[in-house]
Amino acid sequence: MLLRVIDIETTGDAVPAEIIEFGRVDLVSDGAGWQVGRPMARLYRPLNGIPPETMAVHHITEDQFDADTPVCTDEKLRLAVWGGGQPDVLVAHNCEFERKFIPEVITDGLPWICTYKSALRAWPEAPRHSNQVLRYWRNLQLDPAMAMPPHRAGPDAYVTAHLLVELLKSATADEMIAWTKEPKF
């Protein structure tokens, strides 16, 4: 089974905002456990600029793009989601956000796991359920070169992948898919 963890950075909270960074990390079951792959990230040039309040979150600025940086078209997004082997399940921390920008026409209806909703059910005692709080609460010892900085697509996908490995010790992928379909509580 291949679980593909996705994270995106955008120019805002909802469409028509644009995806400006796509990151992913694959988890593959080897029968004895889960192997976490290396993060992959790709920048996409915005057509309509980046508001300063959004830059303050992910620190992606317009001077990081040049004329050769592609725009995130549906074709480019499909390649980002499907490249590098066919996933069985897509995963994101608070996947409601990713799903606003990555429609089913791109994902071909693959099931999703929301690690936020899953963590709420598996670890209700956590102090908070954000990606970074869970990272430190679970005492994950991650390679800083791949896990930093926060609020960038590759590092956030990498952290989420390791949280997913922890969650898979408490619940199955099928249980987390079902939790993802339920409302937050």
Side-chain angles (χ1 to χ4, degrees):
M1 176 177 272
L2 191 151
L3 306 176
R4 176 155 296 148
V5 179
I6 292 174
D7 189 84
I8 60 173
E9 302 303 331
T10 65
T11 61
D13 289 337
V15 175
E18 304 168 78
I19 295 174
I20 56 173
E21 188 176 38
F22 182 95
R24 74 171 190 234
V25 174
D26 287 346
L27 268 75
V28 179
S29 174
D30 64 7
W34 292 93
Q35 301 302 313
V36 176
R38 296 184 62 79
M40 178 287 285
R42 172 83 168 144
L43 285 173
Y44 295 100
R45 181 173 42 85
L47 293 174
N48 299 303
I50 308 169
E53 59 271 23
T54 304
M55 283 188 263
V57 173
H58 49 55
H59 303 282
I60 300 172
T61 61
E62 293 181 38
D63 62 350
Q64 292 177 260
F65 306 98
D66 59 30
D68 294 331
T69 306
V71 172
C72 189
T73 62
D74 284 350
E75 180 182 329
K76 298 274 188 221
L77 186 55
R78 179 173 269 288
L79 287 171
V81 169
W82 290 96
Q86 182 171 333
D88 298 297
V89 178
L90 298 175
V91 180
H93 197 74
N94 195 6
C95 73
E96 287 178 18
F97 180 78
E98 274 73 12
R99 293 180 82 173
K100 287 185 219 176
F101 293 90
I102 306 172
E104 284 201 23
V105 69
I106 300 294
T107 66
D108 294 340
L110 279 178
W112 284 80
I113 290 174
C114 177
T115 55
Y116 173 75
K117 285 184 175 181
S118 298
L120 285 170
R121 285 163 177 78
W123 306 318
E125 71 281 9
R128 285 191 36 225
H129 292 86
S130 70
N131 216 24
Q132 294 298 324
V133 169
L134 290 172
R135 169 192 178 177
Y136 292 109
W137 181 71
R138 296 300 294 180
N139 197 31
L140 298 180
Q141 302 300 312
L142 304 179
D143 180 346
M146 291 191 267
M148 298 297 280
H151 302 294
R152 291 299 300 265
D156 280 358
Y158 184 73
V159 170
T160 302
H162 285 276
L163 288 173
L164 181 59
V165 169
E166 288 291 300
L167 284 163
L168 285 162
K169 295 174 184 175
S170 302
T172 66
D174 287 336
E175 287 173 315
M176 288 188 272
I177 291 167
W179 292 340
T180 298
K181 294 175 184 175
E182 295 175 10
K184 292 179 188 173
F185 63 89

